[in-house]
Amino acid sequence: MSDTIEKIKCLIIGSGPAGYTAAIYAARANMNPVLYQGMQPGGQLTTTNEVENFPGYVDGVTGPEMMVQLQEQAKRFGSDIRDGWATKVDFSGDIHKVWINDSIELHCETVIISTGASAKYLGLPSEQHYLQMGGGVSACAVCDGFFYRNQEVVIVGAGDSACEEAHYLSKLCKKVTMLVRSEKFRASKIMEERVRKTENIEILLNHDTVEVLGDGNVVHGIKALNKTTAEVVEISATGFFVAIGHKPNTDIFKDYLTLDETGYIINTPGTSNTNIPGVFVAGDAADHVYRQAITAAGTGCMAALDAERYLASKE
């Protein structure tokens, strides 16, 4: 551990739309925010080629470009943006202690957590290849479904979120093939019935994805294994959506903050407050419903305002 301790008025853990927006508001309120970007500077949007649904970008913008702009805007107002990630916390006292990279000890008056959530993927080499290429693999139908209008797509998943995203895609796409890896859905009955009644959704139960097919740049199909018959089938598709869940990046907080069964931080409804006074949450670390850049940015604003009011109440 470090021999020196840095005292910080407002620490922001994590970047992305939530973290950077919090930094913008906190800096403008003279809270001298320090933001550590985390293991994926810019968050999940850095893996998104095109963002067309964030207000103000008439012609769209790439995810990495948007994150650079948000970071520069935060810096413009004096935010201290740093490399590194939080590896340990101690929220047991009035002073909130955070360790960066297992070595730097920070004592913080307020902490805003914007560590986000990571989409779960199947882990296939071909899946990861096309994900990195931006050529047809996505974990967000609401974000990317627009690009597959009147095309055929495949979605893998069996829960409520998978059913919701399949139904969403059905309104845009010519055909949606839904691969369910077991013999039955995990979704609620009402969600299962919704996809079963949708004419352009084909459901293949007990099917595993074997390979994402393409020309090296873009997806043109999916190879799937029927586990009942051992038959391997090829499904024509230009898009492959993975809807098998997200894992919130909140493990280091579990001894102090109230989390739900999946690991999302539970905040007081209508605020960014956690169960620890002076610790606030923004973005996908607490949001398993919307998971959009615009909602993350909104909660980043809320967290900074809540932190400012908390500090004012302590004066």
Side-chain angles (χ1 to χ4, degrees), residues 11-312:
L11 174 69
I12 302 168
I13 305 175
S15 44
Y20 289 138
T21 302
I24 291 167
Y25 273 80
R28 286 171 58 86
N30 295 324
M31 293 165 65
N32 305 316
V34 173
L35 182 150
Y36 278 93
Q37 294 178 301
M39 298 185 72
Q40 187 177 14
Q44 291 186 75
L45 271 184
T46 57
T47 65
T48 302
N49 269 12
E50 295 292 334
V51 179
E52 293 191 334
N53 56 3
F54 197 97
Y57 291 95
V58 177
D59 299 315
V61 64
T62 69
E65 183 182 1
M66 178 193 277
M67 291 306 98
V68 168
Q69 291 177 1
L70 281 177
Q71 178 180 319
E72 290 305 311
Q73 188 176 359
K75 284 183 176 179
R76 175 190 164 202
F77 296 113
S79 299
D80 185 351
I81 310 294
R82 303 178 182 178
D83 295 328
W85 56 91
T87 50
K88 177 185 173 183
V89 301
D90 181 353
F91 294 156
S92 60
D94 290 338
I95 296 298
H96 310 304
K97 300 176 183 178
V98 178
W99 285 264
I100 303 296
N101 300 346
D102 288 322
S103 59
I104 303 170
E105 184 175 349
L106 310 176
H107 285 190
C108 314
E109 294 180 54
T110 60
V111 176
I112 295 173
I113 297 167
S114 57
T115 49
S118 300
K120 296 179 182 178
Y121 290 96
L122 300 175
L124 299 171
S126 55
E127 170 202 54
Q128 294 301 303
H129 170 78
Y130 288 105
L131 175 65
Q132 293 167 11
M133 291 292 294
V137 173
S138 171
C140 181
V142 175
C143 308
D144 299 325
F146 179 83
F147 301 111
Y148 300 92
R149 286 174 301 168
N150 301 317
Q151 300 176 45
E152 296 186 4
V153 299
V154 171
I155 182 169
V156 57
D160 280 349
S161 292
C163 289
E164 187 174 332
E165 296 212 334
H167 189 256
Y168 177 85
L169 289 168
S170 72
K171 299 175 183 178
L172 300 170
C173 303
K174 184 190 303 182
K175 180 182 178 183
V176 179
T177 301
M178 191 171 188
L179 300 181
V180 177
R181 294 181 290 174
S182 62
E183 295 180 349
K184 60 182 179 179
F185 282 86
R186 290 185 294 102
S188 59
K189 288 298 181 183
I190 189 170
M191 293 302 295
E192 179 180 346
E193 285 302 310
R194 183 177 296 174
V195 295
R196 287 189 180 278
K197 290 178 180 178
T198 305
E199 290 185 1
N200 64 334
I201 296 179
E202 180 181 3
I203 299 166
L204 300 179
L205 297 174
N206 217 29
H207 277 68
D208 276 343
T209 306
V210 175
E211 185 180 359
V212 179
L213 305 172
D215 62 6
N217 294 311
V218 295
V219 171
H220 63 58
I222 304 298
K223 186 182 289 185
L225 169 68
N226 183 328
K227 294 192 287 186
T228 303
T229 65
E231 177 187 7
V232 175
V233 296
E234 289 191 12
I235 305 165
S236 178
T238 53
F240 180 61
F241 291 85
V242 185
I244 58 175
H246 287 71
K247 185 185 186 307
N249 303 316
T250 58
D251 286 351
I252 65 169
F253 309 113
K254 62 185 179 183
D255 291 337
Y256 302 97
L257 300 184
T258 303
L259 311 178
D260 70 9
E261 59 185 10
T262 309
Y264 288 96
I265 296 171
I266 296 176
N267 56 293
T268 304
T271 77
S272 65
N273 299 341
T274 69
N275 59 294
I276 300 291
V279 178
F280 309 91
V281 62
D284 289 8
D287 178 13
H288 57 85
V289 178
Y290 299 104
R291 294 197 297 260
Q292 299 298 301
I294 187 66
T295 51
T299 56
C301 164
M302 292 169 61
L305 294 176
D306 287 341
E308 181 186 5
R309 290 165 183 159
Y310 171 81
L311 288 172

